[in-house]
Amino acid sequence: MTLSSSVHDYHVSVTQMQYNPALKTFEVSIRMFTDDLERALSQGNDKQRVVIKNNDKNDPLVERYVLKSFFLMDHQKKPVVTKYVGKEQEEDATWVYLEIPFQGPLNGYKLQNSTLMEVFDDQVNMTNIKNASEKRTFLFKKGQAVHIL
């Protein structure tokens, strides 16, 4: 799936969540349209326009925003600690990188991916989860921002 054109008719992000058994960590990459992310960050930043570029000073804004909208919850519905690694801007898309320390089976855990849903009613966040040899894909959208794994 390509994310192209600076003005687009659809609002989608693609998330890859892959388990690294050596580090006992889920490595997460979220790819979204840069202009959509800038709009979301600007809304939450006293309406001051936020512009995303490589090596800018917006990492704290991106971190706070993404960690509020993307998180894994354990059986007691408590969020699992997630570490913001950084972001990378390329053409019209921005990659956001996270790490989630994790051990044991995912069964019964819940994942929330409501990124950009407060900005766009038609936002869809496709999330691919790879754990050992198992790969599953979930679609997150308004009214279905949480899935049981």
Side-chain angles (χ1 to χ4, degrees), residues 59-117:
D59 278 285
L61 283 174
V62 175
E63 176 179 9
R64 194 167 40 252
Y65 176 75
V66 171
L67 294 182
K68 276 191 330 195
S69 60
F70 182 91
F71 53 90
L72 187 64
M73 291 172 275
D74 67 15
H75 298 87
Q76 286 81 38
K77 297 183 182 177
K78 286 194 264 182
V80 176
V81 174
T82 301
K83 178 185 175 203
Y84 176 81
V85 176
K87 68 170 171 44
E88 183 177 25
Q89 202 276 329
E90 62 176 34
E91 307 215 6
D92 60 354
T94 297
W95 288 91
V96 175
Y97 303 106
L98 309 171
E99 289 180 351
I100 305 172
F102 191 83
Q103 293 186 52
L106 268 175
N107 297 348
Y109 276 72
K110 292 180 180 179
L111 183 66
Q112 176 171 322
N113 189 351
S114 58
T115 308
L116 302 173
M117 287 182 192

Short mmCIF file of all heavy atoms in Angstrom, two decimals, residues 59-117:
data_model
loop_
_atom_site.label_atom_id
_atom_site.label_comp_id
_atom_site.label_asym_id
_atom_site.label_seq_id
_atom_site.Cartn_x
_atom_site.Cartn_y
_atom_site.Cartn_z
N ASP A 59 9.63 15.95 18.35
CA ASP A 59 9.55 14.60 18.91
C ASP A 59 8.70 14.53 20.18
O ASP A 59 7.89 13.61 20.31
CB ASP A 59 10.93 13.99 19.14
CG ASP A 59 11.48 13.39 17.85
OD1 ASP A 59 11.00 12.32 17.46
OD2 ASP A 59 12.36 14.01 17.24
N PRO A 60 8.83 15.47 21.13
CA PRO A 60 7.97 15.38 22.33
C PRO A 60 6.48 15.45 22.00
O PRO A 60 5.68 14.74 22.61
CB PRO A 60 8.41 16.58 23.18
CG PRO A 60 9.81 16.87 22.73
CD PRO A 60 9.84 16.54 21.27
N LEU A 61 6.10 16.28 21.01
CA LEU A 61 4.70 16.37 20.59
C LEU A 61 4.24 15.06 19.96
O LEU A 61 3.16 14.56 20.26
CB LEU A 61 4.51 17.49 19.55
CG LEU A 61 4.49 18.91 20.03
CD1 LEU A 61 4.44 19.86 18.83
CD2 LEU A 61 3.31 19.16 20.93
N VAL A 62 5.06 14.51 19.06
CA VAL A 62 4.72 13.26 18.38
C VAL A 62 4.62 12.13 19.41
O VAL A 62 3.67 11.34 19.39
CB VAL A 62 5.76 12.92 17.29
CG1 VAL A 62 5.48 11.55 16.68
CG2 VAL A 62 5.78 14.01 16.22
N GLU A 63 5.59 12.06 20.30
CA GLU A 63 5.59 11.01 21.33
C GLU A 63 4.31 11.07 22.17
O GLU A 63 3.62 10.07 22.35
CB GLU A 63 6.81 11.15 22.23
CG GLU A 63 6.83 10.15 23.38
CD GLU A 63 8.06 10.29 24.26
OE1 GLU A 63 8.83 11.26 24.12
OE2 GLU A 63 8.25 9.40 25.11
N ARG A 64 3.99 12.24 22.69
CA ARG A 64 2.81 12.39 23.55
C ARG A 64 1.55 12.00 22.79
O ARG A 64 0.69 11.30 23.29
CB ARG A 64 2.74 13.84 24.05
CG ARG A 64 1.79 14.07 25.19
CD ARG A 64 1.96 15.42 25.88
NE ARG A 64 2.21 16.57 25.00
CZ ARG A 64 3.38 17.19 24.91
NH1 ARG A 64 4.41 16.81 25.63
NH2 ARG A 64 3.52 18.22 24.09
N TYR A 65 1.45 12.45 21.55
CA TYR A 65 0.26 12.16 20.74
C TYR A 65 0.12 10.66 20.45
O TYR A 65 -0.94 10.07 20.68
CB TYR A 65 0.31 12.95 19.41
CG TYR A 65 -0.87 12.60 18.53
CD1 TYR A 65 -2.13 13.08 18.83
CD2 TYR A 65 -0.71 11.75 17.45
CE1 TYR A 65 -3.22 12.72 18.06
CE2 TYR A 65 -1.79 11.39 16.68
CZ TYR A 65 -3.05 11.87 16.98
OH TYR A 65 -4.13 11.50 16.22
N VAL A 66 1.18 10.05 19.96
CA VAL A 66 1.10 8.65 19.56
C VAL A 66 0.89 7.73 20.77
O VAL A 66 0.09 6.79 20.70
CB VAL A 66 2.34 8.23 18.74
CG1 VAL A 66 2.38 6.72 18.51
CG2 VAL A 66 2.35 8.96 17.40
N LEU A 67 1.56 8.02 21.88
CA LEU A 67 1.41 7.14 23.06
C LEU A 67 0.02 7.25 23.69
O LEU A 67 -0.39 6.35 24.43
CB LEU A 67 2.50 7.42 24.09
CG LEU A 67 3.92 7.07 23.64
CD1 LEU A 67 4.92 7.33 24.76
CD2 LEU A 67 4.03 5.64 23.14
N LYS A 68 -0.73 8.32 23.38
CA LYS A 68 -2.11 8.43 23.86
C LYS A 68 -3.07 7.63 22.98
O LYS A 68 -4.13 7.22 23.44
CB LYS A 68 -2.59 9.89 23.84
CG LYS A 68 -2.22 10.69 25.05
CD LYS A 68 -2.93 12.03 25.12
CE LYS A 68 -3.28 12.63 23.79
NZ LYS A 68 -3.64 14.04 23.78
N SER A 69 -2.71 7.40 21.72
CA SER A 69 -3.64 6.78 20.78
C SER A 69 -3.26 5.35 20.39
O SER A 69 -4.10 4.62 19.85
CB SER A 69 -3.75 7.64 19.52
OG SER A 69 -2.50 7.78 18.89
N PHE A 70 -2.03 4.93 20.66
CA PHE A 70 -1.59 3.58 20.29
C PHE A 70 -0.98 2.92 21.52
O PHE A 70 0.06 3.37 22.01
CB PHE A 70 -0.54 3.63 19.17
CG PHE A 70 -0.09 2.26 18.73
CD1 PHE A 70 -0.74 1.60 17.70
CD2 PHE A 70 0.95 1.62 19.38
CE1 PHE A 70 -0.35 0.33 17.31
CE2 PHE A 70 1.35 0.35 19.00
CZ PHE A 70 0.69 -0.30 17.97
N PHE A 71 -1.65 1.89 22.04
CA PHE A 71 -1.09 1.17 23.19
C PHE A 71 -1.70 -0.21 23.34
O PHE A 71 -2.81 -0.48 22.89
CB PHE A 71 -1.22 1.98 24.49
CG PHE A 71 -2.62 2.45 24.80
CD1 PHE A 71 -3.48 1.67 25.55
CD2 PHE A 71 -3.05 3.68 24.34
CE1 PHE A 71 -4.77 2.11 25.83
CE2 PHE A 71 -4.33 4.13 24.62
CZ PHE A 71 -5.20 3.34 25.37
N LEU A 72 -0.91 -1.06 23.98
CA LEU A 72 -1.29 -2.43 24.28
C LEU A 72 -1.75 -2.48 25.72
O LEU A 72 -1.14 -1.86 26.59
CB LEU A 72 -0.05 -3.33 24.08
CG LEU A 72 -0.23 -4.83 24.16
CD1 LEU A 72 -1.14 -5.35 23.05
CD2 LEU A 72 1.14 -5.51 24.06
N MET A 73 -2.87 -3.20 25.98
CA MET A 73 -3.39 -3.32 27.35
C MET A 73 -3.35 -4.78 27.78
O MET A 73 -3.69 -5.67 27.01
CB MET A 73 -4.84 -2.83 27.41
CG MET A 73 -4.99 -1.34 27.21
SD MET A 73 -6.72 -0.85 27.07
CE MET A 73 -7.01 -1.14 25.32
N ASP A 74 -2.96 -5.00 29.05
CA ASP A 74 -2.90 -6.36 29.57
C ASP A 74 -4.30 -6.84 29.99
O ASP A 74 -5.30 -6.16 29.75
CB ASP A 74 -1.89 -6.46 30.73
CG ASP A 74 -2.30 -5.68 31.97
OD1 ASP A 74 -3.47 -5.28 32.10
OD2 ASP A 74 -1.42 -5.48 32.83
N HIS A 75 -4.35 -8.01 30.62
CA HIS A 75 -5.63 -8.61 31.01
C HIS A 75 -6.42 -7.75 31.99
O HIS A 75 -7.64 -7.85 32.07
CB HIS A 75 -5.39 -10.01 31.60
CG HIS A 75 -4.76 -10.95 30.62
ND1 HIS A 75 -3.39 -11.03 30.45
CD2 HIS A 75 -5.30 -11.80 29.74
CE1 HIS A 75 -3.13 -11.91 29.51
NE2 HIS A 75 -4.27 -12.40 29.05
N GLN A 76 -5.74 -6.90 32.76
CA GLN A 76 -6.40 -6.01 33.71
C GLN A 76 -6.69 -4.63 33.08
O GLN A 76 -6.97 -3.67 33.79
CB GLN A 76 -5.55 -5.81 34.98
CG GLN A 76 -5.55 -7.00 35.92
CD GLN A 76 -4.55 -8.08 35.49
OE1 GLN A 76 -3.48 -7.78 35.01
NE2 GLN A 76 -4.95 -9.33 35.65
N LYS A 77 -6.56 -4.55 31.77
CA LYS A 77 -6.80 -3.31 31.01
C LYS A 77 -5.82 -2.20 31.37
O LYS A 77 -6.10 -1.01 31.21
CB LYS A 77 -8.24 -2.82 31.19
CG LYS A 77 -9.27 -3.79 30.66
CD LYS A 77 -10.66 -3.23 30.81
CE LYS A 77 -11.67 -4.25 30.30
NZ LYS A 77 -13.04 -3.81 30.48
N LYS A 78 -4.64 -2.58 31.86
CA LYS A 78 -3.60 -1.60 32.15
C LYS A 78 -2.69 -1.50 30.93
O LYS A 78 -2.26 -2.53 30.38
CB LYS A 78 -2.77 -2.03 33.38
CG LYS A 78 -3.51 -1.84 34.69
CD LYS A 78 -2.55 -1.94 35.86
CE LYS A 78 -2.59 -3.35 36.39
NZ LYS A 78 -1.78 -3.62 37.53
N PRO A 79 -2.35 -0.27 30.52
CA PRO A 79 -1.44 -0.12 29.37
C PRO A 79 -0.05 -0.70 29.66
O PRO A 79 0.48 -0.52 30.75
CB PRO A 79 -1.35 1.39 29.17
CG PRO A 79 -2.53 1.96 29.88
CD PRO A 79 -2.83 1.01 31.01
N VAL A 80 0.49 -1.41 28.69
CA VAL A 80 1.85 -1.93 28.77
C VAL A 80 2.79 -0.76 28.43
O VAL A 80 2.52 0.02 27.52
CB VAL A 80 2.04 -3.09 27.78
CG1 VAL A 80 3.47 -3.60 27.77
CG2 VAL A 80 1.07 -4.24 28.10
N VAL A 81 3.89 -0.65 29.16
CA VAL A 81 4.84 0.44 28.93
C VAL A 81 5.32 0.39 27.48
O VAL A 81 5.74 -0.65 26.98
CB VAL A 81 6.04 0.34 29.90
CG1 VAL A 81 7.11 1.37 29.57
CG2 VAL A 81 5.57 0.49 31.34
N THR A 82 5.24 1.53 26.84
CA THR A 82 5.66 1.66 25.45
C THR A 82 6.72 2.75 25.36
O THR A 82 6.54 3.83 25.92
CB THR A 82 4.47 2.01 24.54
OG1 THR A 82 3.48 0.98 24.67
CG2 THR A 82 4.89 2.13 23.09
N LYS A 83 7.80 2.46 24.64
CA LYS A 83 8.90 3.42 24.51
C LYS A 83 8.88 4.04 23.12
O LYS A 83 8.85 3.33 22.11
CB LYS A 83 10.24 2.70 24.74
CG LYS A 83 11.44 3.61 24.58
CD LYS A 83 12.74 2.85 24.69
CE LYS A 83 13.90 3.78 24.40
NZ LYS A 83 15.08 3.06 23.96
N TYR A 84 8.89 5.36 23.09
CA TYR A 84 8.99 6.09 21.83
C TYR A 84 10.46 6.06 21.40
O TYR A 84 11.34 6.45 22.16
CB TYR A 84 8.52 7.53 22.03
CG TYR A 84 8.68 8.42 20.83
CD1 TYR A 84 7.75 8.40 19.80
CD2 TYR A 84 9.75 9.31 20.73
CE1 TYR A 84 7.88 9.23 18.69
CE2 TYR A 84 9.88 10.15 19.63
CZ TYR A 84 8.95 10.10 18.62
OH TYR A 84 9.09 10.93 17.53
N VAL A 85 10.72 5.60 20.18
CA VAL A 85 12.09 5.51 19.69
C VAL A 85 12.44 6.71 18.81
O VAL A 85 13.56 7.23 18.87
CB VAL A 85 12.30 4.19 18.91
CG1 VAL A 85 13.69 4.12 18.30
CG2 VAL A 85 12.03 2.99 19.81
N GLY A 86 11.48 7.16 18.02
CA GLY A 86 11.75 8.31 17.16
C GLY A 86 10.81 8.34 15.97
O GLY A 86 9.88 7.55 15.87
N LYS A 87 11.09 9.27 15.06
CA LYS A 87 10.29 9.41 13.85
C LYS A 87 11.21 9.71 12.67
O LYS A 87 12.35 10.12 12.85
CB LYS A 87 9.24 10.52 14.01
CG LYS A 87 9.84 11.89 14.11
CD LYS A 87 8.78 12.96 14.02
CE LYS A 87 9.35 14.32 14.32
NZ LYS A 87 10.62 14.65 13.70
N GLU A 88 10.66 9.50 11.49
CA GLU A 88 11.42 9.72 10.27
C GLU A 88 10.44 10.19 9.20
O GLU A 88 9.43 9.54 8.96
CB GLU A 88 12.08 8.40 9.87
CG GLU A 88 12.96 8.44 8.69
CD GLU A 88 13.62 7.08 8.46
OE1 GLU A 88 13.07 6.04 8.88
OE2 GLU A 88 14.68 7.07 7.83
N GLN A 89 10.72 11.32 8.59
CA GLN A 89 9.84 11.87 7.56
C GLN A 89 10.42 11.55 6.20
O GLN A 89 11.62 11.69 5.96
CB GLN A 89 9.71 13.38 7.78
CG GLN A 89 8.48 14.00 7.16
CD GLN A 89 8.65 14.35 5.70
OE1 GLN A 89 9.73 14.68 5.23
NE2 GLN A 89 7.57 14.25 4.95
N GLU A 90 9.56 11.06 5.30
CA GLU A 90 10.00 10.76 3.93
C GLU A 90 8.88 11.12 2.96
O GLU A 90 7.74 10.74 3.17
CB GLU A 90 10.41 9.30 3.77
CG GLU A 90 9.29 8.32 4.02
CD GLU A 90 9.68 6.88 3.76
OE1 GLU A 90 10.84 6.54 4.02
OE2 GLU A 90 8.81 6.12 3.33
N GLU A 91 9.19 11.86 1.94
CA GLU A 91 8.20 12.30 0.96
C GLU A 91 6.96 12.81 1.68
O GLU A 91 7.05 13.75 2.43
CB GLU A 91 7.89 11.18 -0.02
CG GLU A 91 9.18 10.64 -0.64
CD GLU A 91 9.04 10.22 -2.06
OE1 GLU A 91 7.97 10.42 -2.66
OE2 GLU A 91 10.03 9.69 -2.58
N ASP A 92 5.80 12.15 1.50
CA ASP A 92 4.57 12.65 2.12
C ASP A 92 4.14 11.81 3.33
O ASP A 92 3.02 11.96 3.82
CB ASP A 92 3.44 12.71 1.09
CG ASP A 92 3.12 11.35 0.48
OD1 ASP A 92 3.85 10.39 0.76
OD2 ASP A 92 2.15 11.26 -0.28
N ALA A 93 5.02 10.95 3.81
CA ALA A 93 4.69 10.09 4.95
C ALA A 93 5.69 10.27 6.08
O ALA A 93 6.84 10.66 5.87
CB ALA A 93 4.68 8.63 4.51
N THR A 94 5.22 9.99 7.28
CA THR A 94 6.09 10.01 8.46
C THR A 94 6.01 8.64 9.12
O THR A 94 4.92 8.09 9.31
CB THR A 94 5.65 11.10 9.47
OG1 THR A 94 5.79 12.37 8.85
CG2 THR A 94 6.50 11.07 10.73
N TRP A 95 7.16 8.10 9.46
CA TRP A 95 7.26 6.85 10.21
C TRP A 95 7.48 7.19 11.68
O TRP A 95 8.32 8.03 11.99
CB TRP A 95 8.45 6.03 9.74
CG TRP A 95 8.29 5.41 8.39
CD1 TRP A 95 8.65 5.95 7.19
CD2 TRP A 95 7.75 4.12 8.10
NE1 TRP A 95 8.37 5.08 6.17
CE2 TRP A 95 7.82 3.95 6.70
CE3 TRP A 95 7.22 3.10 8.89
CZ2 TRP A 95 7.36 2.79 6.08
CZ3 TRP A 95 6.78 1.95 8.27
CH2 TRP A 95 6.85 1.80 6.88
N VAL A 96 6.74 6.55 12.56
CA VAL A 96 6.94 6.69 14.00
C VAL A 96 7.33 5.31 14.51
O VAL A 96 6.69 4.30 14.18
CB VAL A 96 5.66 7.19 14.70
CG1 VAL A 96 5.85 7.22 16.21
CG2 VAL A 96 5.29 8.57 14.18
N TYR A 97 8.39 5.26 15.32
CA TYR A 97 8.92 3.99 15.81
C TYR A 97 8.74 3.88 17.33
O TYR A 97 9.05 4.81 18.07
CB TYR A 97 10.41 3.86 15.46
CG TYR A 97 10.66 4.00 13.97
CD1 TYR A 97 11.23 5.16 13.45
CD2 TYR A 97 10.31 2.98 13.09
CE1 TYR A 97 11.45 5.30 12.09
CE2 TYR A 97 10.53 3.11 11.73
CZ TYR A 97 11.10 4.26 11.24
OH TYR A 97 11.32 4.40 9.89
N LEU A 98 8.26 2.70 17.75
CA LEU A 98 8.02 2.42 19.17
C LEU A 98 8.59 1.05 19.51
O LEU A 98 8.78 0.21 18.62
CB LEU A 98 6.51 2.39 19.47
CG LEU A 98 5.66 3.56 19.02
CD1 LEU A 98 4.18 3.24 19.20
CD2 LEU A 98 6.03 4.81 19.78
N GLU A 99 8.81 0.82 20.80
CA GLU A 99 9.18 -0.51 21.30
C GLU A 99 8.29 -0.83 22.48
O GLU A 99 8.05 0.04 23.34
CB GLU A 99 10.64 -0.55 21.75
CG GLU A 99 11.63 -0.49 20.62
CD GLU A 99 13.08 -0.53 21.10
OE1 GLU A 99 13.32 -0.43 22.31
OE2 GLU A 99 13.96 -0.66 20.25
N ILE A 100 7.79 -2.07 22.51
CA ILE A 100 6.95 -2.52 23.62
C ILE A 100 7.57 -3.79 24.19
O ILE A 100 7.49 -4.86 23.57
CB ILE A 100 5.51 -2.82 23.15
CG1 ILE A 100 4.90 -1.60 22.44
CG2 ILE A 100 4.64 -3.24 24.34
CD1 ILE A 100 3.56 -1.87 21.78
N PRO A 101 8.21 -3.71 25.37
CA PRO A 101 8.74 -4.92 26.00
C PRO A 101 7.60 -5.90 26.25
O PRO A 101 6.52 -5.49 26.71
CB PRO A 101 9.33 -4.42 27.33
CG PRO A 101 9.52 -2.94 27.14
CD PRO A 101 8.46 -2.51 26.18
N PHE A 102 7.82 -7.18 25.94
CA PHE A 102 6.72 -8.14 26.05
C PHE A 102 7.24 -9.56 26.18
O PHE A 102 8.18 -9.94 25.51
CB PHE A 102 5.80 -8.04 24.82
CG PHE A 102 4.52 -8.79 24.99
CD1 PHE A 102 3.46 -8.22 25.65
CD2 PHE A 102 4.40 -10.08 24.50
CE1 PHE A 102 2.28 -8.91 25.83
CE2 PHE A 102 3.23 -10.78 24.67
CZ PHE A 102 2.16 -10.20 25.33
N GLN A 103 6.59 -10.32 27.05
CA GLN A 103 6.87 -11.76 27.19
C GLN A 103 5.55 -12.48 27.33
O GLN A 103 4.61 -11.95 27.90
CB GLN A 103 7.72 -12.02 28.42
CG GLN A 103 9.12 -11.46 28.33
CD GLN A 103 9.96 -11.88 29.52
OE1 GLN A 103 10.06 -13.04 29.83
NE2 GLN A 103 10.56 -10.90 30.17
N GLY A 104 5.50 -13.71 26.85
CA GLY A 104 4.30 -14.52 26.99
C GLY A 104 3.37 -14.40 25.81
O GLY A 104 3.64 -13.69 24.85
N PRO A 105 2.23 -15.09 25.88
CA PRO A 105 1.28 -15.05 24.76
C PRO A 105 0.48 -13.75 24.74
O PRO A 105 0.24 -13.14 25.77
CB PRO A 105 0.37 -16.25 25.03
CG PRO A 105 0.44 -16.45 26.51
CD PRO A 105 1.82 -16.00 26.93
N LEU A 106 0.04 -13.38 23.55
CA LEU A 106 -0.76 -12.17 23.36
C LEU A 106 -2.25 -12.40 23.64
O LEU A 106 -3.00 -11.44 23.74
CB LEU A 106 -0.64 -11.69 21.91
CG LEU A 106 0.44 -10.68 21.60
CD1 LEU A 106 0.50 -10.41 20.11
CD2 LEU A 106 0.25 -9.40 22.36
N ASN A 107 -2.66 -13.65 23.76
CA ASN A 107 -4.07 -13.97 23.95
C ASN A 107 -4.67 -13.18 25.10
O ASN A 107 -4.15 -13.17 26.20
CB ASN A 107 -4.26 -15.47 24.21
CG ASN A 107 -3.82 -16.31 23.03
OD1 ASN A 107 -3.57 -15.78 21.95
ND2 ASN A 107 -3.72 -17.60 23.23
N GLY A 108 -5.79 -12.51 24.82
CA GLY A 108 -6.48 -11.76 25.86
C GLY A 108 -6.01 -10.32 26.00
O GLY A 108 -6.66 -9.52 26.66
N TYR A 109 -4.88 -9.97 25.39
CA TYR A 109 -4.42 -8.58 25.42
C TYR A 109 -5.29 -7.78 24.44
O TYR A 109 -5.86 -8.33 23.50
CB TYR A 109 -2.95 -8.47 25.01
CG TYR A 109 -2.00 -8.72 26.14
CD1 TYR A 109 -1.81 -9.99 26.66
CD2 TYR A 109 -1.29 -7.67 26.71
CE1 TYR A 109 -0.94 -10.22 27.72
CE2 TYR A 109 -0.41 -7.88 27.77
CZ TYR A 109 -0.25 -9.16 28.27
OH TYR A 109 0.61 -9.36 29.32
N LYS A 110 -5.37 -6.49 24.68
CA LYS A 110 -6.13 -5.61 23.79
C LYS A 110 -5.17 -4.57 23.22
O LYS A 110 -4.26 -4.12 23.91
CB LYS A 110 -7.25 -4.90 24.54
CG LYS A 110 -8.34 -5.84 24.98
CD LYS A 110 -9.43 -5.09 25.72
CE LYS A 110 -10.51 -6.07 26.15
NZ LYS A 110 -11.58 -5.39 26.88
N LEU A 111 -5.40 -4.22 21.97
CA LEU A 111 -4.60 -3.19 21.32
C LEU A 111 -5.53 -2.05 20.90
O LEU A 111 -6.57 -2.29 20.30
CB LEU A 111 -3.89 -3.75 20.09
CG LEU A 111 -2.96 -2.76 19.36
CD1 LEU A 111 -1.78 -2.36 20.24
CD2 LEU A 111 -2.48 -3.36 18.05
N GLN A 112 -5.14 -0.84 21.27
CA GLN A 112 -5.87 0.34 20.80
C GLN A 112 -5.02 1.06 19.78
O GLN A 112 -3.83 1.30 20.02
CB GLN A 112 -6.20 1.30 21.95
CG GLN A 112 -6.88 2.57 21.44
CD GLN A 112 -7.41 3.45 22.54
OE1 GLN A 112 -7.93 2.97 23.53
NE2 GLN A 112 -7.29 4.76 22.36
N ASN A 113 -5.63 1.39 18.65
CA ASN A 113 -4.97 2.20 17.63
C ASN A 113 -6.00 3.21 17.12
O ASN A 113 -6.63 3.01 16.10
CB ASN A 113 -4.43 1.33 16.50
CG ASN A 113 -3.55 2.13 15.55
OD1 ASN A 113 -3.49 3.35 15.64
ND2 ASN A 113 -2.89 1.44 14.64
N SER A 114 -6.15 4.30 17.87
CA SER A 114 -7.11 5.35 17.51
C SER A 114 -6.42 6.57 16.90
O SER A 114 -6.99 7.65 16.84
CB SER A 114 -7.92 5.76 18.74
OG SER A 114 -7.06 6.22 19.77
N THR A 115 -5.20 6.38 16.43
CA THR A 115 -4.42 7.46 15.85
C THR A 115 -5.21 8.16 14.73
O THR A 115 -5.75 7.50 13.85
CB THR A 115 -3.10 6.89 15.29
OG1 THR A 115 -2.47 6.13 16.32
CG2 THR A 115 -2.16 8.00 14.85
N LEU A 116 -5.28 9.47 14.82
CA LEU A 116 -5.91 10.35 13.84
C LEU A 116 -7.43 10.25 13.77
O LEU A 116 -8.07 10.97 13.00
CB LEU A 116 -5.31 10.15 12.43
CG LEU A 116 -3.80 10.37 12.32
CD1 LEU A 116 -3.32 9.97 10.94
CD2 LEU A 116 -3.45 11.82 12.60
N MET A 117 -8.05 9.40 14.58
CA MET A 117 -9.51 9.24 14.50
C MET A 117 -10.27 10.46 15.01
O MET A 117 -11.42 10.68 14.63
CB MET A 117 -9.96 7.99 15.26
CG MET A 117 -9.61 6.72 14.55
SD MET A 117 -10.20 5.29 15.45
CE MET A 117 -9.34 4.00 14.59
#
